Amino acid sequence: LNHLRCQFEVLRRYRLPDDTLYSSSKLRRLQELLPRLVKEGHHILVFSQWVRILDLLEVLVANLGLTFLRLDGSTDVADRRDLIETYNEGNVNVFLLSTRAGGLGINLTRADTVILHDLDFNPESDKQAIDRAHRIGQTRPVTVYKFCCEGSVDEDIFNRCHQKSKIADAVLHGGKLDHDHEPGDEDVYEDVDADLAAPVSVE
């Protein structure tokens, strides 16, 4: 609705109030989390598999007064290098990316924090997105936040992806589902409110 309202003058009167626009638990959480992380000096990548969600995230980040860039599947190849170089120079707080567009070939080692606003149906896609901050040249630990709304389709996607990852690990480790984790591989769960369970992987 907000996107259509921005496109067509006749719909301007249907503009959604900010409280309605940001009524999801994930966006409320981002309103708290992003300013704190920026104040602490972190550089952040925010991934979503939905371009329309990136539209909302743009409005949210702009209203928070944070500098940001955006890259999705519609971004020209010629512009991607400029966006990446600008971000890695360190003058931008937040980089918004679509999960699939933020895949192979993108080096964003300036980032030390990755937020997956919504999980991809294929856990490998999320891993490739996270790896953008783990390329050669990264010198700091990277914290990964995985947002998942309890009792929603998010939870089903999270559980299925977790199961797929366990199966993949079993294949890679000779069929042992309960292999020993490397230090830092554990998932830590942070309860942020009644609506939202935000699993946080610290790598």
Side-chain angles (χ1 to χ4, degrees), residues 37-73:
L37 291 174
V38 170
K39 186 176 181 180
E40 292 173 356
H42 297 288
H43 293 268
I44 308 152
L45 306 179
V46 182
F47 287 96
S48 172
Q49 61 174 316
W50 312 113
V51 174
R52 285 290 175 264
I53 294 296
L54 291 179
D55 294 339
L56 288 175
L57 293 176
E58 271 195 290
V59 177
L60 174 67
V61 176
N63 285 347
L64 291 173
L66 305 177
T67 57
F68 69 93
L69 298 170
R70 171 175 171 165
L71 188 156
D72 59 42

Side-chain angles (χ1 to χ4, degrees), residues 9-203:
E9 184 66 33
V10 70
L11 298 177
R12 296 282 173 162
R13 66 180 182 274
Y14 296 113
R15 181 183 182 277
L16 297 175
D18 287 348
D19 288 346
T20 302
L21 194 61
Y22 308 140
S23 61
S24 81
S25 297
K26 292 180 181 181
L27 292 182
R28 291 203 306 270
R29 178 59 172 145
L30 281 176
Q31 283 182 294
E32 302 170 359
L33 184 62
L34 289 178
R36 175 171 64 81
L37 291 174
V38 170
K39 186 176 181 180
E40 292 173 356
H42 297 288
H43 293 268
I44 308 152
L45 306 179
V46 182
F47 287 96
S48 172
Q49 61 174 316
W50 312 113
V51 174
R52 285 290 175 264
I53 294 296
L54 291 179
D55 294 339
L56 288 175
L57 293 176
E58 271 195 290
V59 177
L60 174 67
V61 176
N63 285 347
L64 291 173
L66 305 177
T67 57
F68 69 93
L69 298 170
R70 171 175 171 165
L71 188 156
D72 59 42
S74 65
T75 305
D76 289 339
V77 174
D79 294 333
R80 294 189 179 201
R81 181 183 299 174
D82 292 338
L83 290 171
I84 293 167
E85 289 179 355
T86 299
Y87 182 78
N88 283 332
E89 287 171 359
N91 298 321
V92 177
N93 303 128
V94 180
F95 204 158
L96 306 175
L97 306 101
S98 59
T99 305
R100 301 297 177 97
L104 298 174
I106 295 181
N107 186 335
L108 296 169
T109 53
R110 180 68 181 178
D112 62 0
T113 304
V114 177
I115 298 174
L116 301 178
H117 179 273
D118 41 73
L119 302 180
D120 197 280
F121 298 102
N122 181 359
E124 292 303 315
S125 296
D126 286 336
K127 288 180 181 179
Q128 287 183 7
I130 293 168
D131 283 346
R132 299 317 99 212
H134 280 128
R135 300 293 291 275
I136 294 174
Q138 180 59 268
T139 59
R140 296 162 297 170
V142 176
T143 302
V144 179
Y145 293 83
K146 297 179 180 179
F147 280 19
C148 177
C149 286
E150 187 176 16
S152 73
V153 67
D154 278 352
E155 192 171 23
D156 292 334
I157 294 172
F158 175 79
N159 290 333
R160 287 178 182 273
C161 288
H162 185 66
Q163 186 63 31
K164 287 180 181 178
S165 295
K166 286 178 66 177
I167 293 172
D169 285 346
V171 171
L172 293 173
H173 293 85
K176 298 179 181 178
L177 281 173
D178 296 320
H179 66 278
D180 293 334
H181 288 284
E182 294 295 327
D185 282 350
E186 298 82 3
D187 285 339
V188 181
Y189 292 86
E190 174 186 358
D191 292 329
V192 292
D193 61 34
D195 300 324
L196 175 65
V200 181
S201 293
V202 182
E203 300 184 354

